[in-house]
């Protein structure tokens, strides 16, 4: 049996790692907040990066090999035949998303999001001089056609070119949007002249009970965009690169994206990502198995020791969306758990108004770390 990918203890990781996850908080805090895995590296990625460094292959990224690897992975994983001519390499997913939004919306116009959603959506929309309009998910965490239509009518009536920023799969809830949900979104967006940009960074991290549907594969999505990177699936956040893909009706728009927006993509990152997509699939399969074990472990521990915390394991990602409203800790339970239990979770309200009383826990860790996290949460109460 292969050694566990998520087998390291917190002490080992804190000793060896210098990223923000392990350095933001004091040493007595157990960090389960930012979306960074406690994963042993994927061996083919290590081999590819070491070889590039040895040969001095550290120049500027061209893009062809990386795009080709992305298209191979898309067709093998999802049956999605991506036209390489409809792709552009960009610095990373959120830089690509923000530049596409800037391209297809007007200054001061609206970008609709469906909270709870990735917290950086709000900051990037603000940074490009657009305003956020919220179309919340349903109480069960699904895309809500009613709230979408209300929001799309509002932004259409306001004038100016508007967009919808999709989180597919959904971070932090782990929802995997169905083809029917995405087709409904596409139809509503087209009816109201709203362009869709889909963040698909978590697409490789879908569990066995669900099937990922790329947004651009559903009817009506032809004028949309998707931005993809293996950086989350293979824990390569520090190696920046991504691929933006245009639907058939958006290719001309993508061509208007200035070529300087690809300059931020790291050549070494593209080499690493290509190795992950082509040669790291067995590693990913093992990782998904370990993450599934962790979802079950966390659910069992909470049911036994913290039944007031409601947790429904997500269909994707390595993030657990915890409903802590039953604990009586107010709008920001993560703050109380940090202060009293020295365990760092992400505050739910950062992901939009529906996140009040929730917290996001990163379960891409060893069994030992998850057990300690629950121990600390219990101790905080």
């Amino acid at each position: 049996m292969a050694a566990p990918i998520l087998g390291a203890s917190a002490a080992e990781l804190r000793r060896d790692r210098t990223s923000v996850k392990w350095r933001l908080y004091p040493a007595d805090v157990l960090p389960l907040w930012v979306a960074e895995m406690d994963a042993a590296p994927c061996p083919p990625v290590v081999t590819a990066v070491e070889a590039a460094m040895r040969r001095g292959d550290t120049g500027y990224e061209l893009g062809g090999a990386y795009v080709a690897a992305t298209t191979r992975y898309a067709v093998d994983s999802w049956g999605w035949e991506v036209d390489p001519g409809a792709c552009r390499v960009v610095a990373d997913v959120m830089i690509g998303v923000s530049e596409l939004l800037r391209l297809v919306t007007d200054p001061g116009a609206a970008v609709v999001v469906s909270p709870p959603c990735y917290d950086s959506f709000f900051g990037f929309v603000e940074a490009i001089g657009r305003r956020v309009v919220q179309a919340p998910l349903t109480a069960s965490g699904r895309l809500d056609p009613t709230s979408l239509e209300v929001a799309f009518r509002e932004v259409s009536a306001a004038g100016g070119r508007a967009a919808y920023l999709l989180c597919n799969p959904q971070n932090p809830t782990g929802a995997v949007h169905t083809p029917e949900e995405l087709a409904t979104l596409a139809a509503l967006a087209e009816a109201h002249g709203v362009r869709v940009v889909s963040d698909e960074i978590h697409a490789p991290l879908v569990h066995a009970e669900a099937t990922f549907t790329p947004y651009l594969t559903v009817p009506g999505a032809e004028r949309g965009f998707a931005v993809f990177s293996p950086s989350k699936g293979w824990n390569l956040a520090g190696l920046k690169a991504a691929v933006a893909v245009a639907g058939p009706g958006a290719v001309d728009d993508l061509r208007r994206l200035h070529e300087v927006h690809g300059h931020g993509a790291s050549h070494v990152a593209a080499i690493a990502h290509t190795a992950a997509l082509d040669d790291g699939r067995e590693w990913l399969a093992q990782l998904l198995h370990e993450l599934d074990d962790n979802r079950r472990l966390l659910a069992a521990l909470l049911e036994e020791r913290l039944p007031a915390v409601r947790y429904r394991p997500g269909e994707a990602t390595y993030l657990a969306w915890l409903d802590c409203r039953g604990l009586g800790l107010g709008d920001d339970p993560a703050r109380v758990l940090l202060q009293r239990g020295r365990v760092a979770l992400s505050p739910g309200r950062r992901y939009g108004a529906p996140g009040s009383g929730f917290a996001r826990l990163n379960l891409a860790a060893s069994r030992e770390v998850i057990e300690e996290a629950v121990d600390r949460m219990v101790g905080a109460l």
Side-chain angles (χ1 to χ4, degrees), residues 242-302:
V243 175
V245 186
V251 173
D252 288 343
D253 288 316
L254 186 64
R255 288 173 180 157
R256 291 193 294 113
L257 190 68
H258 200 289
E259 58 92 19
V260 298
H261 295 305
H263 291 185
S266 161
H267 180 52
V268 175
I271 289 170
H273 291 193
T274 298
L277 293 168
D278 283 342
D279 304 317
R281 301 186 192 185
E282 289 186 9
W283 183 95
L284 179 65
Q286 181 182 338
L287 172 71
L288 285 168
H289 176 75
E290 293 182 25
L291 291 175
D292 185 52
D293 287 345
N294 284 358
R295 292 190 304 160
R296 298 173 191 275
L297 171 63
L298 179 62
L301 289 171
L302 292 174

Side-chain angles (χ1 to χ4, degrees), residues 113-252:
V113 300
S114 291
C117 58
Y118 180 39
D119 55 333
S120 289
F121 280 7
F122 302 96
F124 274 96
V125 170
E126 179 184 352
I128 62 169
R130 275 57 172 173
R131 60 186 176 87
V132 171
V133 172
Q134 299 191 28
L137 301 177
T138 66
S140 60
R142 311 306 307 184
L143 291 174
D144 184 350
T146 301
S147 70
L148 287 170
E149 181 152 27
V150 168
F152 290 172
R153 283 186 186 277
E154 174 189 330
V155 301
S156 178
R161 297 177 302 155
Y164 176 74
L165 178 49
L166 172 66
C167 200
N168 183 36
Q170 194 84 8
N171 168 15
T173 65
V176 175
H177 307 305
T178 67
E180 295 76 18
E181 290 169 332
L182 294 174
T184 298
L185 163 64
L188 288 169
E190 279 299 295
H192 295 284
V194 174
R195 303 295 291 274
V196 177
V197 179
S198 183
D199 168 2
E200 302 191 344
I201 196 169
H202 287 280
L205 294 166
V206 173
H207 299 291
E209 71 270 19
T211 301
F212 174 70
T213 300
Y215 174 71
L216 294 180
T217 65
V218 303
E222 291 79 11
R223 294 202 312 134
F225 301 89
V227 189
F228 170 79
S229 174
S231 62
K232 279 289 180 283
W234 281 267
N235 204 40
L236 302 172
L239 293 170
K240 297 282 191 179
V243 175
V245 186
V251 173
D252 288 343

